[in-house]
């Protein structure tokens, strides 16, 4: 199944208050592997960036004013997302902004048009009562998030892809093959290294004497001796 890991950066927190998308990144996953296909663009938001938002992602309006407007790249983004399941962390936030942008340029919203897996909701179900931010999940699943000194749509999508794969099964079967081979080899070597301890003549004699006692007690029908001779299943 084709999946797309999606992330955005914005001028603020609320699209209803006129805040806009300034960056979007989408990475393609096929058969649980990143294919290298990606959409990554920055946009002119046509408004100032809130100070709080700028502290999060480090992008000012002065840096973005020369970028294309969202409407100019909407079709390219939609074409890349077409037919995919979207993987988004805190999906209502990103979809709310993208839907507002698409509506603004006369296009249908994404919500309801494509299947969506919200990794924040997934993490809350798997780790109730714990912190489930992307940073916290990187730590929990051993994903190196040290490059994330500020938020960025492309980097965050890359980290989310790793977290998603770890949360939903980790490595693929092909990736596990070398480990399986090592385990098989180790167990085979352990079998080869086992020391065989055989009974002494004295121990065999005591064993036979004990079977004679069992024969007498059972009236000559000791199953242990019959099994040894192959007459019955042990």
């Amino acid at each position: 199944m084709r999946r797309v890991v999606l992330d955005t950066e914005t001028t603020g927190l609320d699209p209803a208050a006129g805040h806009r998308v300034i960056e979007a990144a989408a990475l393609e996953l096929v058969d649980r592997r990143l294919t290298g296909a990606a959409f990554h663009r920055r946009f002119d938001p046509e408004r100032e960036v809130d100070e709080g938002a700028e502290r999060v992602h480090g992008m000012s309006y002065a840096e973005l004013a020369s970028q294309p407007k969202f409407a100019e790249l909407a079709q390219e983004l939609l074409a890349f997302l077409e037919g995919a399941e979207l993987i988004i962390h805190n999906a209502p936030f990103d979809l709310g902004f993208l839907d507002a942008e698409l509506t603004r340029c006369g296009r249908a919203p994404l919500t309801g048009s494509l299947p969506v897996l919200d990794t924040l909701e997934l993490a809350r179900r798997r780790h109730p009562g714990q912190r489930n931010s992307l940073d916290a999940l990187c730590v929990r699943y051993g994903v190196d998030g040290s490059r994330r000194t500020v938020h960025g749509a492309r980097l965050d999508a890359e980290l989310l892809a790793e977290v998603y794969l770890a949360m939903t099964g980790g490595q693929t079967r092909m990736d596990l093959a070398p480990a399986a081979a090592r385990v098989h080899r180790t167990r085979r070597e352990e079998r080869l290294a086992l020391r065989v301890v055989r009974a002494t003549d004295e121990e065999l004699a005591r064993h036979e004497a004990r079977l004679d006692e069992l024969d007498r007690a059972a009236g000559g029908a000791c199953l242990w001796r019959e099994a040894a001779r192959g007459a019955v299943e042990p």
Side-chain angles (χ1 to χ4, degrees):
M1 181 178 184
R2 182 174 181 266
R3 296 180 171 89
V4 169
V5 183
L6 178 66
D7 191 72
T8 65
E9 298 298 338
T10 64
T11 63
L13 296 176
D14 187 2
H19 285 292
R20 306 287 299 273
V21 175
I22 60 172
E23 185 181 28
L27 310 179
E28 183 182 63
L29 276 172
V30 176
D31 295 331
R32 297 183 56 80
R33 294 179 184 276
L34 287 168
T35 66
F39 172 96
H40 179 217
R41 298 287 189 275
R42 289 183 176 180
F43 311 104
D44 172 9
E46 304 176 83
R47 59 156 292 156
E48 291 295 330
V49 179
D50 277 9
E51 289 184 11
E54 186 174 339
R55 284 196 295 271
V56 170
H57 51 59
M59 287 177 275
S60 67
Y61 178 66
E63 298 174 71
L64 297 164
S66 61
Q67 299 298 317
K69 296 176 175 57
F70 184 93
E72 298 173 47
L73 297 171
Q75 182 54 44
E76 183 182 346
L77 173 60
L78 291 173
F80 188 81
L81 301 181
E82 185 177 3
E85 178 187 31
L86 304 183
I87 311 297
I88 308 174
H89 198 69
N90 191 13
F93 179 88
D94 297 89
L95 289 177
F97 270 95
L98 289 170
D99 286 350
E101 293 288 357
L102 290 166
T103 300
R104 189 176 285 111
C105 60
R107 295 177 178 272
L110 279 175
T111 301
S113 66
L114 294 172
V116 177
L117 187 150
D118 187 342
T119 51
L120 178 58
E121 288 303 314
L122 178 62
R124 284 171 174 168
R125 292 196 300 270
R126 295 194 174 189
H127 311 289
Q130 300 184 51
R131 292 181 63 247
N132 289 301
S133 66
L134 183 56
D135 284 334
L137 292 175
C138 283
V139 172
R140 188 171 300 144
Y141 287 99
V143 174
D144 182 6
S146 60
R147 295 175 293 158
R148 199 182 189 228
T149 55
V150 294
H151 291 212
R154 179 63 183 255
L155 175 58
D156 288 3
E158 291 173 355
L159 295 175
L160 181 57
E162 291 189 62
V163 165
Y164 162 74
L165 291 173
M167 288 177 68
T168 58
Q171 295 171 301
T172 65
R173 282 178 296 175
M174 286 185 65
D175 292 333
L176 289 173
R182 287 195 300 272
V183 170
H184 176 74
R185 184 172 61 251
T186 299
R187 288 177 178 170
R188 183 181 61 198
E189 290 168 353
E190 288 173 353
R191 288 197 300 270
L192 291 175
L194 289 176
R195 187 165 63 94
V196 178
V197 179
R198 301 188 182 280
T200 65
D201 290 342
E202 181 183 351
E203 289 168 334
L204 290 172
R206 288 203 302 268
H207 176 68
E208 290 298 322
R210 177 57 178 159
L211 290 182
D212 287 339
E213 293 175 8
L214 291 174
D215 277 344
R216 289 192 295 273
C222 175
L223 293 181
W224 285 101
R225 185 162 274 157
E226 293 297 324
R229 292 170 180 162
V232 296
E233 291 295 326

